[in-house]
């Protein structure tokens, strides 16, 4: 099966290409090879490569910058998703699309289900929601996988930031009133490839929107403490800095961050047999990889 992966140089795109199972012909394209916001480029690539399935890992992910750059955020996250959905539908092939917990307001206190009402509080979340809607409208054979707090060995993320700060700081303040589930890029890639294999075997999937993250829920403060304790155990840091819990109001950002990002991932297990892994094990794996 020929599989086209967009955003191939991002955190998830990189893992998708790296973890591609044998038996698939994978074309991973970065933004310089395929700009998904450009309809003509998408149509030309689709007719040239004739993929039998498309995975969209491309996105405008600069959450704060999106507040003042909404045109570009929508061009990539909404129009780009629509362009891929239109191309997939024209070819009669499925589109696996990645979305985010930011489609929700973040004001809940119980894990979000796929059926809960969306209400993004910033431009990034709104543009991703518009992308979801475009995918659902233009390509019936779609999986929209909402995920959260992505980290991986490749690219920039919270884990890398914490490790960098620990080089020079004995103490740092980390937000302790935002709750969510860290999710490794590798686990997202493995889950998506498991879906591709299911589709390839059965010629069908339970199409729709699904939540997928690692577990258990924590806070950024809890995540930071785990990062430091694992890095010390692996001798990647001489000592763990003191992590002081702070509140969101003490760390203002241009885009509002959701206080609650925890998603209920039971539907993807029930309908698509994808199980949640533990982010602490995924983190250990990532730390080993970056040490090499
Ligand atoms: N990061 C998170 O914490 C997080 C949380 C929840 C959901 N997600 C979702 O997970 C997915 C993957 O995110 P990620 O963390 O892997 O993001 P990432 O590391 O920022 O990668 C996104 C990739 O998309 C590419 N891209 C941007 N504009 C493009 C365009 N017009 N055409 C083609 N490619 C373009 C970027 O390439 P350039 O760098 O060359 O522009 C980048 O390599 C996204 O859908 C994101 O919304 C991420």
């Amino acid at each position: 099966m020929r599989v086209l992966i967009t955003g191939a140089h991002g955190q998830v795109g990189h893992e998708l290409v790296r973890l591609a199972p044998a038996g698939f012909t994978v074309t991973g394209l970065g933004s310089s090879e395929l700009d998904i916001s450009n309809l003509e480029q998408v149509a030309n690539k689709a007719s040239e490569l004739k993929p039998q399935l498309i995975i969209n890992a491309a996105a405008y992910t600069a959450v704060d910058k999106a507040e003042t750059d909404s045109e570009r955020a929508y061009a990539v996250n909404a129009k780009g998703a629509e362009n891929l959905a239109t191309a997939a539908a024209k070819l009669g092939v499925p589109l696996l699309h990645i979305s985010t917990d930011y489609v929700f307001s973040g004001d809940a206190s119980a894990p979000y289900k796929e059926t809960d009402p969306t209400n993004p509080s910033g431009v990034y979340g709104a543009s991703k929601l518009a992308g979801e809607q475009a995918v659902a409208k233009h390509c019936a054979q779609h999986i929209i996988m909402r995920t959260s707090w992505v980290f991986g060995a490749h690219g920039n993320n919270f884990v890398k930031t914490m490790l960098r700060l620990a080089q020079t700081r004995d103490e740092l303040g980390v937000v302790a009133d935002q709750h969510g589930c860290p999710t490794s890029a590798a686990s997202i890639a493995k889950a998506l490839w498991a879906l591709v294999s299911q589709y390839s075997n059965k010629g069908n999937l339970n199409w729709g929107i699904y939540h997928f993250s690692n577990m258990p829920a924590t806070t950024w403060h809890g995540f930071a403490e785990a990062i430091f304790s694992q890095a010390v155990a692996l001798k990647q840091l001489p000592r763990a800095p003191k992590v002081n819990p702070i509140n969101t109001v003490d760390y203002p950002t241009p885009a509002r961050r959701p206080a609650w990002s925890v998603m209920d991932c039971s539907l993807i297990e029930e309908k698509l047999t994808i199980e949640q892994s533990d982010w602490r094990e995924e983190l250990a794996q990532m730390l080993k990889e970056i040490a090499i």
Side-chain angles (χ1 to χ4, degrees):
M1 177 182 271
R2 292 182 302 279
V3 177
L4 168 63
I5 297 168
T6 62
H9 304 317
Q11 294 194 84
V12 176
H14 176 86
E15 295 298 333
L16 277 165
V17 173
R18 186 175 74 91
L19 297 169
F24 293 96
T25 304
V26 176
T27 306
L29 301 177
S31 59
S32 58
E33 296 138 317
L34 174 61
D35 174 356
I36 64 164
S37 69
N38 184 317
L39 177 61
E40 202 184 333
Q41 272 188 36
V42 171
N44 288 344
K45 260 312 164 208
S47 56
E48 178 197 326
L49 297 170
K50 297 190 177 45
Q52 291 159 297
L53 185 144
I54 300 174
I55 307 179
N56 180 26
Y60 183 108
T61 55
V63 173
D64 288 323
K65 201 169 159 220
E67 293 298 308
T68 49
D69 190 18
S70 67
E71 205 176 307
R72 193 66 202 144
Y74 273 87
V76 181
N77 293 343
K79 190 73 176 81
E82 179 182 324
N83 292 342
L84 290 170
T86 308
K90 201 170 162 205
L91 290 167
V93 306
L95 173 63
L96 310 191
H97 175 75
I98 308 166
S99 192
T100 169
D101 57 292
Y102 275 59
V103 297
F104 296 113
S105 68
D107 298 327
S109 53
Y112 282 112
K113 287 184 182 291
E114 288 80 352
T115 46
D116 283 337
T118 52
N119 184 17
S121 64
V123 171
Y124 167 73
S127 67
K128 290 293 293 183
L129 179 60
E132 287 189 1
Q133 289 162 346
V135 168
K137 181 175 171 194
H138 293 280
C139 182
Q141 297 184 91
H142 68 266
I143 297 285
I144 294 168
M145 181 186 276
R146 292 183 184 143
T147 190
S148 61
W149 294 23
V150 178
F151 67 93
H154 178 89
N156 294 321
N157 51 62
F158 183 77
V159 180
K160 299 254 189 96
T161 304
M162 289 299 114
L163 293 175
R164 192 177 62 247
L165 290 173
Q167 301 295 332
T168 53
R169 304 262 284 270
D170 296 326
E171 208 170 314
L172 66 164
V174 180
V175 172
D177 60 354
Q178 291 172 21
H179 302 261
C181 293
T183 308
S184 79
S187 69
I188 298 169
K190 283 181 197 156
L192 287 168
W193 277 119
L195 297 185
V196 178
S197 296
Q198 282 182 35
Y199 171 73
S200 157
N201 291 335
K202 294 191 297 193
N204 202 3
L205 271 181
N206 284 316
W207 309 113
I209 299 182
Y210 293 94
H211 292 173
F212 176 79
S213 70
N214 297 159
M215 51 92 176
T218 185
T219 63
W220 292 111
H221 177 269
F223 192 19
E225 289 210 306
I227 293 163
F228 295 141
S229 95
Q230 287 201 19
V232 169
L234 288 167
K235 300 197 183 346
Q236 290 175 340
L237 284 179
R239 37 144 197 80
K242 182 163 180 264
V243 192
N244 298 316
I246 62 168
N247 291 322
T248 304
V249 287
D250 302 319
Y251 189 75
T253 49
R256 179 177 172 261
R257 295 295 191 276
W260 183 263
S261 286
V262 184
M263 296 187 292
D264 181 330
C265 300
S266 51
L267 190 68
I268 197 165
E269 182 168 358
E270 193 187 308
K271 298 259 188 210
L272 297 168
T273 64
I274 303 292
E275 289 178 14
Q276 282 181 286
S277 52
D278 188 317
W279 60 262
R280 292 163 297 196
E281 286 162 24
E282 300 286 337
L283 174 64
Q285 185 58 37
M286 175 206 162
L287 292 177
K288 281 181 201 142
E289 277 171 33
I290 58 174
I292 296 167

